[in-house]
Amino acid sequence: MTSLDIDAGVAGGPALPQERRLVTAIPGPRSQELLARKAAAVAAGVGHTAPIAAVAAGGGVVTDADGNSLIDLGSGIAVTSVGNAHPKVVEAVQRQAAAFTHTCFMVSPYEGYVAVAEALNRLTPGDFEKKSALFNSGAEAVENAVKIARKATERQAVVAFDHAYHGRTNLTMALTAKSMPYKSGFGPFASEVYRAPMSYPYRDGLTGPEAAAKAISVIEKQVGADNLAAVIIEPIQGEGGFIVPAEGFLPAISAWCTANGVILIADEVQSGFARTGAMFASEHFGIVPDMVTTAKGIAGGLPLAAVTGRAEIMDAAHVGGLGGTYGGNPIACAAALASIEVFETEDLSDRAREIEALMLARLETMQASDPRIGDIRGLGAMIAIELVDPATKAPAAALAGAIAQRCIADGVIVLTCGTYGNVLRFLPPLTIGDALLSEGLDVVAAALAAEVAA
Ligand SMILES: *Cc1c(COP(=O)(O)O)cnc(C)c1O
């Protein structure tokens, strides 16, 4: 099925015209007012990409307080995959908020939490018995996955990869690779975290098995399998630059983990929930992780995260060892159940593959006449271009930043990422229409043409 004409009004929500409309310069006067209040009231460390005051969003657009309507190619960082304020999510949230807003699942359990756990156990890769636990953020899910893996294996070390991003809490900063802006000045970091080289086909020139052998050698020499509780990896890296590992890399890492009693954790916080054209990105690579962490796309914008894994691993933690006051909040669970229903009944994995076809065709056309586009990569509605100096392949971070800013000024929200800051990533809501998506890419093409080579 196609979602060509979906907008926020389909099932009764306020209809938002699915159009790019600029009635002021960005930022307009009302947005400037809010940004001035933000600068005075909000800690400087909390940055922003688009200088607007958002007032509504749905389908494929975000509107601001000045009456501008921007095409959304970011989904609030891969969160609003079912579409912002999806009517089914709104309805579920309203119904649940009117019934009860909180009991604390550890005090008085409720069905929504259990139903989300059942859905995750069913949907995540692997046909073995699974269990889940719910949390509030991706970072919290990663922290808990590591806690559980350590308890289950009675080992302490954890291996993460170059270019990895796993969050901003102390343990997840340690797991994250990039210093600026995520870690710089915020140490000391958690111990027993080690880093292995990642497969990065555009830059390392290695096949998947070669890159895996290199990573495994580092792990065996610097950590030792006997000390290693878990290997955590994003099947497609998010903040690190939408790096898709070469074929055979993930299966080799997975096989090594299995042979050595090491738990493989797939961090699918960004790549999960139909984003890549499958419910989980692991499926594309034929791996079945022991544990999966999820968040972002899970609940249509409500804060929710989960760890799902083999039942015997998940049950290793003692009663009372896992939890949190808000973890699996009933309103977030209601939103997740509504979102999961939308993912399945509207076949959004299929829609993500349609978006992939449209985006790849457009980006390949741009690349044919613009060698600054060094690489096009990604799957589904998780696609990126890496911008480089065509002569040397040196990362062109300033160019990526300038293009993103130009796009936003022209009414298209585009995000950058990458260890070198030179990647433009496209994460449209899966409810965006083809015409709007195409227009968004027109604006990207125009921005590329307007920026002279650095
Ligand atoms: C965003 C992200 C996280 C952290 O999630 P938060 O909800 O921001 O804490 C962890 N892992 C990956 C792969 C992510 O993309």
Side-chain angles (χ1 to χ4, degrees):
M1 115 177 239
T2 173
S3 306
L4 271 184
D5 298 310
I6 285 182
D7 72 24
V10 167
L16 271 187
Q18 293 298 295
E19 63 181 12
R20 180 170 65 108
R21 183 182 69 241
L22 293 178
V23 296
T24 70
I26 304 277
R30 284 164 185 265
S31 295
Q32 284 179 34
E33 246 171 70
L34 183 73
L35 295 174
R37 283 171 56 197
K38 174 183 182 262
V42 178
V46 184
H48 60 262
T49 301
I52 61 168
V55 293
V61 299
V62 176
T63 67
D64 75 7
D66 297 289
N68 299 302
S69 173
L70 289 81
I71 298 175
D72 183 8
L73 298 186
S75 301
I77 317 186
V79 168
T80 55
S81 300
V82 296
N84 218 310
H86 189 289
K88 286 190 178 142
V89 173
V90 172
E91 206 254 310
V93 164
Q94 287 173 336
R95 194 166 3 94
Q96 180 58 47
F100 64 97
T101 51
H102 173 83
T103 61
C104 185
F105 188 73
M106 300 181 302
V107 175
S108 308
Y110 39 87
E111 188 189 1
Y113 186 120
V114 176
V116 170
E118 289 167 346
L120 289 168
N121 298 344
R122 171 172 65 83
L123 291 169
T124 48
D127 50 16
F128 39 77
E129 195 195 339
K130 283 173 255 171
K131 288 194 171 178
S132 293
L134 305 185
F135 304 96
N136 302 294
S137 70
E140 208 188 344
V142 169
E143 292 252 355
N144 279 279
V146 171
K147 271 171 71 171
I148 296 165
R150 284 175 168 159
K151 185 85 192 209
T153 57
E154 298 180 336
R155 301 173 181 175
Q156 293 187 350
V158 182
V159 161
F161 287 82
D162 285 337
H163 315 291
Y165 181 85
H166 298 292
R168 295 172 181 269
T169 58
N170 188 264
L171 174 60
T172 59
M173 276 193 292
L175 293 165
T176 290
K178 193 175 178 179
S179 175
M180 201 61 186
Y182 306 124
K183 304 169 74 167
S184 185
F186 297 140
F189 302 113
S191 59
E192 287 306 312
V193 171
Y194 300 86
R195 194 161 310 284
M198 176 69 184
S199 167
Y200 189 165
Y202 178 62
R203 293 197 175 273
D204 69 11
L206 299 177
T207 67
E210 286 166 353
K214 195 172 145 195
I216 288 165
S217 167
V218 167
I219 296 169
E220 288 181 338
K221 299 290 176 295
Q222 298 185 21
V223 189
D226 291 350
N227 302 305
L228 186 56
V231 166
I232 182 165
I233 191 161
E234 302 153 83
I236 298 176
Q237 289 185 318
E239 307 303 300
F242 282 25
I243 299 165
V244 184
E247 194 184 329
F249 177 79
L250 288 171
I253 297 290
S254 173
W256 183 87
C257 286
T258 302
N260 289 280
V262 173
I263 290 172
L264 179 66
I265 305 170
D267 183 351
E268 295 245 21
V269 166
Q270 190 153 163
S271 57
F273 292 101
R275 175 55 54 187
T276 65
M279 206 57 177
F280 293 96
S282 294
E283 297 166 36
H284 295 293
F285 304 97
I287 57 162
V288 179
D290 302 302
M291 301 172 91
V292 179
T293 53
T294 53
K296 293 196 166 92
I298 191 173
L302 276 285
L304 188 71
V307 182
T308 302
R310 291 179 183 273
E312 66 274 19
I313 295 172
M314 294 298 294
D315 280 340
H318 46 272
V319 175
L322 304 177
T325 306
Y326 293 116
N329 169 272
I331 299 173
C333 286
L337 292 171
S339 299
I340 289 167
E341 194 194 313
V342 171
F343 283 122
E344 296 196 288
T345 59
E346 295 182 13
D347 199 356
L348 291 187
S349 289
D350 191 48
R351 179 61 188 150
R353 291 190 293 272
E354 290 175 7
I355 289 172
E356 170 186 315
L358 192 156
M359 288 205 285
L360 287 184
R362 293 295 311 276
L363 294 169
E364 280 161 11
T365 304
M366 289 181 217
Q367 187 186 36
S369 61
D370 192 340
R372 295 172 302 170
I373 302 179
D375 195 23
I376 302 172
R377 57 179 179 251
L379 286 167
M382 185 175 183
I383 303 283
I385 55 177
E386 177 161 353
L387 298 171
V388 298
D389 177 335
T392 63
K393 248 176 146 173
L399 178 65
I403 288 169
Q405 275 182 21
R406 208 179 261 279
C407 288
I408 291 164
D410 282 344
V412 180
I413 298 174
V414 171
L415 308 175
T416 60
C417 66
T419 293
Y420 313 109
N422 64 326
V423 176
L424 289 177
R425 58 171 151 172
F426 307 109
L427 291 162
L430 304 178
T431 48
I432 195 170
D434 283 357
L436 206 59
L437 178 58
S438 242
E439 187 180 338
L441 294 170
D442 289 342
V443 170
V444 173
L448 265 163
E451 284 295 329
V452 290

